[in-house]
Amino acid sequence: MTLRLTHEENERLNELAAAEGRSKHEVVRLALADRWAKLHKEQQLNEILGRVLPRYRGMLEKLGTA
């Protein structure tokens, strides 16, 4: 795989790699893992809220008008 970065993006990647003592390759892999984890957590939260909120809708509406 080839990753094409602008000069500015490449400089940022160099800076991150140097600051963390990692290779640029490792920084990109970790960033990908972090983004995937965030997406997965958001999907899980949405699924849970979709199941839980309807159960407590009446109570939440009463609290909102109190």
Side-chain angles (χ1 to χ4, degrees):
M1 177 180 143
T2 301
L3 179 63
R4 288 180 173 71
L5 301 174
T6 65
H7 177 72
E8 184 176 289
E9 291 166 335
N10 192 50
E11 289 298 315
R12 289 177 181 172
L13 182 55
N14 284 330
E15 185 179 328
L16 281 172
E20 296 179 3
R22 302 178 191 274
S23 68
K24 294 192 315 184
H25 174 82
E26 191 173 3
V27 171
V28 171
R29 288 182 61 230
L30 289 171
L32 174 62
D34 286 346
R35 290 288 304 267
W36 183 87
K38 180 181 175 186
L39 174 65
H40 189 67
K41 285 179 185 178
E42 287 176 3
Q43 289 173 341
Q44 285 181 322
L45 178 60
N46 287 335
E47 290 173 14
I48 291 167
L49 289 175
R51 289 192 313 261
V52 172
L53 286 179
R55 183 183 320 161
Y56 298 104
R57 185 176 314 278
M59 181 179 62
L60 291 171
E61 288 173 355
K62 288 178 184 177
L63 288 172
T65 59

